[in-house]
């Protein structure tokens, strides 16, 4: 018999770690944590390290502007609080107009944007072993998304904060792995749902019930 996976926070009906106004469940991840390990992490947030400054700046933006600012504005507020001036943008080609609009905003707020497109380097997909039939437009020159090179070029520019604008699932993973500067996301690409991936979850009990179909292999 395969071992039943242990329950985690998604099975918790209490969420008591937030305000401590209920009870911790028997399997609680907070209660099961090693206090020394937890303290090491808290110490990092408290410190003057980059991690500490980021943690406190993020909480300050949340607490000051909760429900008042758009994410575009929150990124500006966050950048200001961590002292970031050079803002790298790793953009998808399909969202270049949105990137251009974002750049106008950043400049208006006295920040220094620098964008690198996903197709930079212009390497054809077949050169990394992707078969012709997997191209979006078969038979044409079609460049790979090149997130490692995007990160390298932004690293050379010594950006202070990098912002993802619509990188593909997985390409974003590589970009985050290779970026020297901390990374945040402005747009999470969903080609079907107008870049609102949460809509699939809001509607998965009816319109998108295929999401819950174990027969649908992806
Ligand atoms: S940490 Fe504990 S209280 Fe918080 S959500 Fe997880 S199980 Fe629930």
């Amino acid at each position: 018999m395969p071992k039943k996976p242990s329950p985690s926070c998604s099975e918790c009906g209490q969420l008591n770690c937030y305000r401590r106004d209920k009870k911790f469940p028997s399997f609680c991840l907070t209660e099961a944590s090693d206090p020394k390990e937890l303290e090491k992490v808290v110490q990092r947030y408290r410190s003057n390290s980059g991690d500490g400054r980021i943690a406190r700046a993020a909480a300050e933006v949340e607490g000051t502007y909760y429900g008042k600012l758009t994410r575009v504005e929150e990124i500006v507020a966050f950048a200001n609080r961590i002292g970031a001036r050079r803002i790298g943008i790793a953009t998808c080609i399909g969202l270049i107009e949105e990137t251009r609009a974002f750049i106008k905003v950043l400049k208006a707020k006295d920040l220094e944007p620098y964008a690198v497109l996903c197709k930079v380097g212009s390497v054809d997909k077949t050169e990394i072993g992707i078969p012709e039939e997997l191209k979006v437009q078969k038979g044409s020159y079609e460049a790979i998304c090149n997130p490692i090179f995007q990160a390298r070029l932004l690293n050379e520019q010594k950006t202070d904060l990098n912002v993802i604008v619509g990188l593909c699932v997985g390409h974003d993973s590589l970009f985050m792995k290779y970026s020297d500067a901390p990374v945040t996301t402005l747009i999470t690409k969903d080609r079907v749902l107008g870049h609102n991936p949460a809509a699939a979850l809001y509607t998965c009990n009816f319109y998108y019930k295929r999401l819950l179909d174990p027969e649908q292999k992806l």
Side-chain angles (χ1 to χ4, degrees):
M1 280 276 284
K3 211 177 141 206
K4 221 175 141 199
S6 25
S8 63
C9 293
S10 56
E11 279 79 45
C12 174
Q14 302 292 324
L15 310 181
N16 186 46
C17 47
Y18 184 30
R19 296 210 184 274
R20 297 209 179 196
D21 51 358
K22 299 191 186 89
K23 282 197 163 67
F24 288 122
S26 57
F27 57 84
C28 178
L29 274 63
T30 294
E31 294 251 273
S33 309
D34 176 346
K36 285 194 195 124
E37 288 307 310
L38 176 60
E39 179 51 30
K40 277 191 214 161
V41 174
V42 175
Q43 186 55 44
R44 188 174 279 261
Y45 297 142
R46 226 182 258 136
S47 73
N48 276 329
S49 66
D51 291 349
R53 284 189 293 120
I54 287 175
R56 293 191 300 274
E60 191 181 324
V61 171
E62 182 193 20
T64 309
Y65 299 114
Y66 197 88
K68 294 182 191 138
L69 290 190
T70 63
R71 192 173 178 103
V72 169
E73 295 166 301
E74 284 188 342
I75 289 174
V76 173
F78 175 66
N80 286 337
R81 279 162 181 75
I82 60 168
R85 283 197 56 76
R86 295 199 44 81
I87 312 298
I89 302 170
T91 181
C92 166
I93 189 169
L95 286 148
I96 190 65
E97 290 308 325
E98 289 78 357
T99 286
R100 288 181 176 133
F102 183 46
I103 281 177
K104 278 193 211 159
V105 174
L106 294 175
K107 285 184 176 165
K109 307 296 176 189
D110 210 23
L111 294 167
E112 296 168 20
Y114 187 91
V116 181
L117 194 83
C118 57
K119 302 299 182 187
V120 67
S122 193
V123 177
D124 189 74
K125 286 181 177 172
T126 54
E127 290 201 33
I128 66 161
I130 296 168
E132 198 63 41
E133 61 267 24
L134 280 187
K135 285 185 175 175
V136 179
Q137 210 174 296
K138 291 144 206 32
S140 65
Y141 193 93
E142 194 166 283
I144 54 166
C145 290
N146 198 341
I148 298 179
F149 205 49
Q150 274 180 302
R152 293 248 160 98
L153 293 177
L154 291 177
N155 294 346
E156 274 174 23
Q157 292 295 318
K158 306 241 175 295
T159 50
D160 303 309
L161 173 69
N162 288 335
V163 181
I164 289 178
V165 177
L167 296 188
C168 311
V169 171
H171 294 136
D172 57 359
S173 312
L174 281 172
F175 178 77
M176 285 184 250
K177 182 173 174 189
Y178 286 90
S179 167
D180 285 347
V183 181
T184 190
T185 301
L186 174 58
I187 301 178
T188 302
K189 175 157 70 198
D190 188 319
R191 296 181 181 95
V192 174
L193 297 174
H195 313 304
N196 178 16
L201 306 177
Y202 302 146
T203 57
C204 72
N205 288 321
F206 197 88
Y207 299 108
Y208 276 93
K209 61 184 171 210
R210 70 177 191 231
L211 270 69
L212 301 173
D213 178 3
E215 299 299 311
Q216 190 207 22
K217 301 287 176 225
L218 296 169

